[in-house]
Amino acid sequence: MQSRSAEPVIAHSGEAHRLKAAANSTLTFKNWQKARAMMLYRCKRFLLAAAAAIALAGGPTAQAKEPSRILSIGGAVTEILYELGAGDRLIAVDSTSQFPPEALKTHKNVGYFRALSTEGVLSVAPDAIIASDKAGPPEVVRALKASGIDYFEVNDDPNVEALTKRVRAIAGKLGQAAAGDALTARIEKGFADLAEARGRLPRNPAVLFVLSVQGGRAIVGGAETSADVMLRLAGARNVAMSLKGFKPVSEEAIIAMDPEIIVVMSRSSGPSLAQEILSVPGISATRAGRDRHMIEMDGLYILGFGPRAPAAASDLMRQLQAPAQSARARGSKG
């Protein structure tokens, strides 16, 4: 029975093979069509992803638009924008943007750059925010970065390399690369001239930078501060180098530091900080206190580390050497 039932199959095996081949051919063609469709789909996704990546990176497919409604956050950032000729693109600034004077006088003020509010910033409707990386608080900065507004952050460290880098970065953002190169060259020359002058100094005076007075104690600039950088650029020896950051100091610490000159920030109103410092315990026992050797300078000028930094350090150097020159003159007369 089994052999007889198998005979038709054997007898017609050629036809069976042809039918099977045809079926396999149909299945193969369908599989090829499916594979081809999948390959095209994957290629399309790859190309779309690549185009998006190039656009985000500012590549040839990106339609980069130079910002025209800029909010500047940080005094040095604002100075750089004006130096690059972009003052007319500003719609608002922060409260530290005090130079040039028209920055605050002619633009909306969104408040202190370390204490921003999301609502206050968004209310001025900028198309770009160019900000110091020291801006805050952090949760507000995160919200602004997530808002969809172009948030461009620059390194605001107080050193020569960081300054030239942020000039070039901001110039690139504005589409003003040539102007950025020219400003950078001017700044670098200023620092080179400063270094040459520093090499000719007869001495390096012992100096203390006092930021403010709080609770009867002086807040002084130690290592890793803009104050320390400026003192060293000006050829001074910072007597608070054992501290890190801006720190309050005790009466005993001030006496031990024994600065011969104290540098403070000038005030626009009220009693001068120099006069207030003279009443701080321990100051009168130092050489600076006894001789009343105090130097007052504009805060943004000396600590902002913007394009005027070489000039500020040069001015400070000249004033730091003046008391020593006076002392030598008095000694020669005696």
Side-chain angles (χ1 to χ4, degrees):
M1 292 293 293
Q2 291 178 349
S3 60
R4 284 197 297 269
S5 65
E7 286 176 1
V9 175
I10 296 172
H12 300 288
S13 61
E15 181 65 18
H17 280 300
R18 284 193 294 272
L19 290 172
K20 185 176 180 180
N24 287 340
S25 177
T26 301
L27 289 172
T28 302
F29 178 73
K30 288 182 178 179
N31 288 341
W32 177 82
Q33 283 185 313
K34 186 177 180 181
R36 180 176 179 272
M38 182 58 70
M39 181 180 67
L40 291 173
Y41 172 73
R42 288 176 177 172
C43 285
K44 183 178 180 180
R45 287 189 62 183
F46 173 79
L47 291 172
L48 288 173
I54 292 172
L56 287 173
T61 63
Q63 298 299 317
K65 183 180 179 182
E66 294 173 8
S68 60
R69 291 177 53 81
I70 300 172
L71 165 58
S72 176
I73 300 177
V77 172
T78 301
E79 284 194 40
I80 292 169
L81 286 167
Y82 270 93
E83 285 285 346
L84 293 172
D88 58 345
R89 299 199 212 178
L90 290 175
I91 58 164
V93 297
D94 78 300
S95 62
T96 68
S97 299
Q98 299 179 4
F99 186 87
E102 61 264 28
L104 268 176
K105 291 180 180 178
T106 60
H107 299 102
K108 292 181 180 179
N109 179 358
V110 297
Y112 182 53
F113 83 121
R114 292 183 187 270
L116 301 169
S117 74
T118 307
E119 296 79 8
V121 169
L122 296 180
S123 69
V124 301
D127 63 13
I129 299 170
I130 301 180
S132 159
D133 63 350
K134 308 302 186 295
E139 60 272 17
V140 170
V141 172
R142 285 195 295 269
L144 293 174
K145 288 180 178 180
S147 69
I149 296 173
D150 183 8
Y151 192 100
F152 189 74
E153 191 172 69
V154 294
N155 183 316
D156 206 13
D157 288 346
N159 60 66
V160 177
E161 183 181 4
L163 171 56
T164 55
K165 282 185 176 180
R166 63 177 164 268
V167 167
R168 286 199 169 99
I170 293 173
K173 182 66 177 176
L174 298 173
Q176 300 286 341
D181 289 342
L183 178 56
T184 299
R186 194 169 82 232
I187 291 170
E188 289 175 339
K189 184 180 185 306
F191 281 123
D193 292 343
L194 181 67
E196 185 179 342
R198 193 166 54 245
R200 298 194 302 266
L201 293 178
R203 59 192 296 276
N204 303 105
V207 181
L208 179 66
F209 184 94
V210 178
L211 181 68
S212 62
V213 175
Q214 295 180 11
R217 301 177 75 185
I219 310 298
V220 306
E224 299 183 19
T225 63
S226 51
D228 176 59
V229 173
M230 290 301 290
L231 289 179
R232 287 187 284 110
L233 284 171
R237 179 170 57 86
N238 184 1
V239 296
M241 278 295 291
S242 60
L243 304 175
K244 184 177 179 180
F246 288 100
K247 294 289 193 317
V249 290
S250 65
E251 176 180 355
E252 293 76 16
I254 287 177
I255 294 173
M257 291 175 184
D258 191 26
E260 55 187 290
I261 305 169
I262 294 175
V263 178
V264 302
M265 295 193 300
S266 57
R267 289 173 172 171
S268 57
S269 61
S272 72
L273 182 56
Q275 290 298 318
E276 186 177 356
I277 286 171
L278 288 172
S279 64
V280 172
I283 291 293
S284 61
T286 66
R287 288 172 289 174
R290 289 192 300 269
D291 297 334
R292 293 178 175 265
H293 280 171
M294 304 278 178
I295 295 174
E296 293 183 86
M297 296 186 71
D298 175 77
L300 182 61
Y301 184 48
I302 190 173
L303 298 183
F305 230 87
R308 298 180 296 160
S314 180
D315 285 350
L316 178 58
M317 178 189 291
R318 175 178 50 80
Q319 295 186 64
L320 288 174
Q321 294 299 315
Q325 292 168 0
S326 298
R328 286 196 296 274
R330 288 195 299 272
S332 62
K333 290 179 181 178

